[in-house]
Amino acid sequence: MPARNRRAADAGFSGWWQAQVDEVVPGVEMMIRGPLNVHTVGEIRTALVRSIDGGMGDFLLHLGLADIGDATGLGVLVGAHHRAERCGRRLVLTAVSPRIDRLLRGSRLDRVLTRSA
């Protein structure tokens, strides 16, 4: 099994096309599990927009169990950041995995996206 599918299977997903979005605290905190890629960003984007629009203050996005598979995954994060700013909020990435951390640094998005300590 390829490494990407193994990571998804280890997180409880059967393939690279499935992701799970859970609102931990509606309008305030969300967790993404599984891949952020061209196959999953539509559903994830819709959930992010609904949650960002429905709350106030910082919006926490947990990415510890997420896997960014392609540039569209990064694009969803940038889009959520811009949406939060337009709503007078701040997107804060939490529980960022080492792989996503490397992607953010490599793309220099670590200079734009806020991360919790």
mmCIF file of all heavy atoms in Angstrom, residues 82-100:
data_model
loop_
_atom_site.group_PDB
_atom_site.id
_atom_site.type_symbol
_atom_site.label_atom_id
_atom_site.label_comp_id
_atom_site.label_asym_id
_atom_site.label_seq_id
_atom_site.Cartn_x
_atom_site.Cartn_y
_atom_site.Cartn_z
ATOM 1 N N HIS A 82 -8.215 34.128 4.263
ATOM 2 C CA HIS A 82 -8.794 35.347 3.688
ATOM 3 C C HIS A 82 -10.254 35.515 4.112
ATOM 4 O O HIS A 82 -10.696 36.627 4.410
ATOM 5 C CB HIS A 82 -8.669 35.348 2.166
ATOM 6 C CG HIS A 82 -7.277 35.553 1.693
ATOM 7 N ND1 HIS A 82 -6.531 36.672 1.999
ATOM 8 C CD2 HIS A 82 -6.470 34.771 0.944
ATOM 9 C CE1 HIS A 82 -5.331 36.574 1.448
ATOM 10 N NE2 HIS A 82 -5.272 35.423 0.810
ATOM 11 N N ARG A 83 -11.002 34.424 4.141
ATOM 12 C CA ARG A 83 -12.404 34.489 4.557
ATOM 13 C C ARG A 83 -12.504 34.973 6.001
ATOM 14 O O ARG A 83 -13.340 35.820 6.336
ATOM 15 C CB ARG A 83 -13.033 33.104 4.404
ATOM 16 C CG ARG A 83 -14.479 33.013 4.770
ATOM 17 C CD ARG A 83 -15.295 33.692 3.705
ATOM 18 N NE ARG A 83 -16.704 33.573 3.919
ATOM 19 C CZ ARG A 83 -17.569 33.394 2.936
ATOM 20 N NH1 ARG A 83 -17.161 33.290 1.695
ATOM 21 N NH2 ARG A 83 -18.845 33.341 3.191
ATOM 22 N N ALA A 84 -11.648 34.425 6.864
ATOM 23 C CA ALA A 84 -11.648 34.834 8.269
ATOM 24 C C ALA A 84 -11.323 36.322 8.399
ATOM 25 O O ALA A 84 -11.979 37.040 9.163
ATOM 26 C CB ALA A 84 -10.659 33.988 9.066
ATOM 27 N N GLU A 85 -10.341 36.802 7.648
ATOM 28 C CA GLU A 85 -9.993 38.227 7.707
ATOM 29 C C GLU A 85 -11.159 39.096 7.263
ATOM 30 O O GLU A 85 -11.429 40.135 7.868
ATOM 31 C CB GLU A 85 -8.766 38.516 6.850
ATOM 32 C CG GLU A 85 -7.471 38.101 7.486
ATOM 33 C CD GLU A 85 -6.257 38.562 6.700
ATOM 34 O OE1 GLU A 85 -6.352 38.737 5.455
ATOM 35 O OE2 GLU A 85 -5.214 38.754 7.338
ATOM 36 N N ARG A 86 -11.844 38.690 6.195
ATOM 37 C CA ARG A 86 -13.003 39.467 5.720
ATOM 38 C C ARG A 86 -14.117 39.507 6.758
ATOM 39 O O ARG A 86 -14.901 40.452 6.787
ATOM 40 C CB ARG A 86 -13.530 38.895 4.408
ATOM 41 C CG ARG A 86 -12.671 39.242 3.213
ATOM 42 C CD ARG A 86 -13.374 38.953 1.891
ATOM 43 N NE ARG A 86 -13.827 37.582 1.750
ATOM 44 C CZ ARG A 86 -13.113 36.584 1.266
ATOM 45 N NH1 ARG A 86 -11.875 36.797 0.857
ATOM 46 N NH2 ARG A 86 -13.616 35.369 1.169
ATOM 47 N N CYS A 87 -14.191 38.494 7.605
ATOM 48 C CA CYS A 87 -15.219 38.440 8.651
ATOM 49 C C CYS A 87 -14.731 39.059 9.958
ATOM 50 O O CYS A 87 -15.406 38.956 10.994
ATOM 51 C CB CYS A 87 -15.628 36.987 8.902
ATOM 52 S SG CYS A 87 -16.506 36.226 7.529
ATOM 53 N N GLY A 88 -13.536 39.658 9.941
ATOM 54 C CA GLY A 88 -12.985 40.257 11.150
ATOM 55 C C GLY A 88 -12.469 39.235 12.146
ATOM 56 O O GLY A 88 -12.392 39.498 13.343
ATOM 57 N N ARG A 89 -12.087 38.086 11.637
ATOM 58 C CA ARG A 89 -11.608 36.998 12.482
ATOM 59 C C ARG A 89 -10.175 36.652 12.115
ATOM 60 O O ARG A 89 -9.614 37.202 11.176
ATOM 61 C CB ARG A 89 -12.494 35.757 12.292
ATOM 62 C CG ARG A 89 -13.950 36.037 12.618
ATOM 63 C CD ARG A 89 -14.780 34.810 12.549
ATOM 64 N NE ARG A 89 -14.428 33.942 13.681
ATOM 65 C CZ ARG A 89 -14.932 32.739 13.859
ATOM 66 N NH1 ARG A 89 -15.780 32.239 12.989
ATOM 67 N NH2 ARG A 89 -14.588 32.012 14.893
ATOM 68 N N ARG A 90 -9.599 35.714 12.839
ATOM 69 C CA ARG A 90 -8.249 35.241 12.563
ATOM 70 C C ARG A 90 -8.260 33.716 12.544
ATOM 71 O O ARG A 90 -8.752 33.076 13.467
ATOM 72 C CB ARG A 90 -7.305 35.753 13.650
ATOM 73 C CG ARG A 90 -5.861 35.352 13.460
ATOM 74 C CD ARG A 90 -4.985 36.001 14.498
ATOM 75 N NE ARG A 90 -5.221 35.385 15.805
ATOM 76 C CZ ARG A 90 -4.271 35.170 16.704
ATOM 77 N NH1 ARG A 90 -3.043 35.558 16.481
ATOM 78 N NH2 ARG A 90 -4.559 34.602 17.853
ATOM 79 N N LEU A 91 -7.728 33.133 11.461
ATOM 80 C CA LEU A 91 -7.566 31.684 11.363
ATOM 81 C C LEU A 91 -6.290 31.310 12.103
ATOM 82 O O LEU A 91 -5.226 31.882 11.847
ATOM 83 C CB LEU A 91 -7.461 31.248 9.901
ATOM 84 C CG LEU A 91 -7.141 29.784 9.655
ATOM 85 C CD1 LEU A 91 -8.318 28.903 10.051
ATOM 86 C CD2 LEU A 91 -6.763 29.547 8.212
ATOM 87 N N VAL A 92 -6.394 30.353 13.023
ATOM 88 C CA VAL A 92 -5.235 29.878 13.779
ATOM 89 C C VAL A 92 -5.121 28.374 13.567
ATOM 90 O O VAL A 92 -6.032 27.625 13.911
ATOM 91 C CB VAL A 92 -5.367 30.190 15.291
ATOM 92 C CG1 VAL A 92 -4.153 29.665 16.050
ATOM 93 C CG2 VAL A 92 -5.556 31.678 15.525
ATOM 94 N N LEU A 93 -4.019 27.938 12.986
ATOM 95 C CA LEU A 93 -3.768 26.518 12.761
ATOM 96 C C LEU A 93 -3.213 25.908 14.045
ATOM 97 O O LEU A 93 -2.286 26.457 14.642
ATOM 98 C CB LEU A 93 -2.778 26.323 11.616
ATOM 99 C CG LEU A 93 -3.149 26.971 10.287
ATOM 100 C CD1 LEU A 93 -2.064 26.700 9.251
ATOM 101 C CD2 LEU A 93 -4.494 26.501 9.798
ATOM 102 N N THR A 94 -3.768 24.781 14.463
ATOM 103 C CA THR A 94 -3.311 24.113 15.675
ATOM 104 C C THR A 94 -2.956 22.670 15.368
ATOM 105 O O THR A 94 -3.407 22.109 14.369
ATOM 106 C CB THR A 94 -4.390 24.153 16.782
ATOM 107 O OG1 THR A 94 -5.516 23.410 16.354
ATOM 108 C CG2 THR A 94 -4.809 25.574 17.100
ATOM 109 N N ALA A 95 -2.151 22.087 16.246
ATOM 110 C CA ALA A 95 -1.754 20.677 16.120
ATOM 111 C C ALA A 95 -1.245 20.370 14.713
ATOM 112 O O ALA A 95 -1.621 19.362 14.115
ATOM 113 C CB ALA A 95 -2.908 19.759 16.493
ATOM 114 N N VAL A 96 -0.397 21.226 14.190
ATOM 115 C CA VAL A 96 0.123 21.054 12.828
ATOM 116 C C VAL A 96 1.151 19.926 12.822
ATOM 117 O O VAL A 96 2.089 19.926 13.610
ATOM 118 C CB VAL A 96 0.750 22.374 12.321
ATOM 119 C CG1 VAL A 96 1.378 22.192 10.958
ATOM 120 C CG2 VAL A 96 -0.305 23.468 12.292
ATOM 121 N N SER A 97 0.961 18.956 11.932
ATOM 122 C CA SER A 97 1.889 17.828 11.836
ATOM 123 C C SER A 97 3.230 18.305 11.274
ATOM 124 O O SER A 97 3.296 19.341 10.603
ATOM 125 C CB SER A 97 1.302 16.747 10.926
ATOM 126 O OG SER A 97 1.286 17.196 9.581
ATOM 127 N N PRO A 98 4.305 17.556 11.526
ATOM 128 C CA PRO A 98 5.614 17.939 10.978
ATOM 129 C C PRO A 98 5.600 18.047 9.450
ATOM 130 O O PRO A 98 6.243 18.930 8.879
ATOM 131 C CB PRO A 98 6.539 16.807 11.435
ATOM 132 C CG PRO A 98 5.892 16.275 12.669
ATOM 133 C CD PRO A 98 4.411 16.405 12.433
ATOM 134 N N ARG A 99 4.853 17.181 8.770
ATOM 135 C CA ARG A 99 4.797 17.233 7.303
ATOM 136 C C ARG A 99 4.124 18.518 6.825
ATOM 137 O O ARG A 99 4.611 19.188 5.921
ATOM 138 C CB ARG A 99 4.051 16.018 6.758
ATOM 139 C CG ARG A 99 4.018 16.006 5.236
ATOM 140 C CD ARG A 99 3.355 14.734 4.715
ATOM 141 N NE ARG A 99 3.456 14.664 3.274
ATOM 142 C CZ ARG A 99 2.656 15.336 2.441
ATOM 143 N NH1 ARG A 99 1.721 16.118 2.918
ATOM 144 N NH2 ARG A 99 2.815 15.221 1.133
ATOM 145 N N ILE A 100 3.001 18.873 7.439
ATOM 146 C CA ILE A 100 2.325 20.110 7.053
ATOM 147 C C ILE A 100 3.184 21.311 7.417
ATOM 148 O O ILE A 100 3.247 22.285 6.662
ATOM 149 C CB ILE A 100 0.920 20.183 7.683
ATOM 150 C CG1 ILE A 100 0.032 19.110 7.059
ATOM 151 C CG2 ILE A 100 0.298 21.571 7.495
ATOM 152 C CD1 ILE A 100 -1.361 19.015 7.637
#
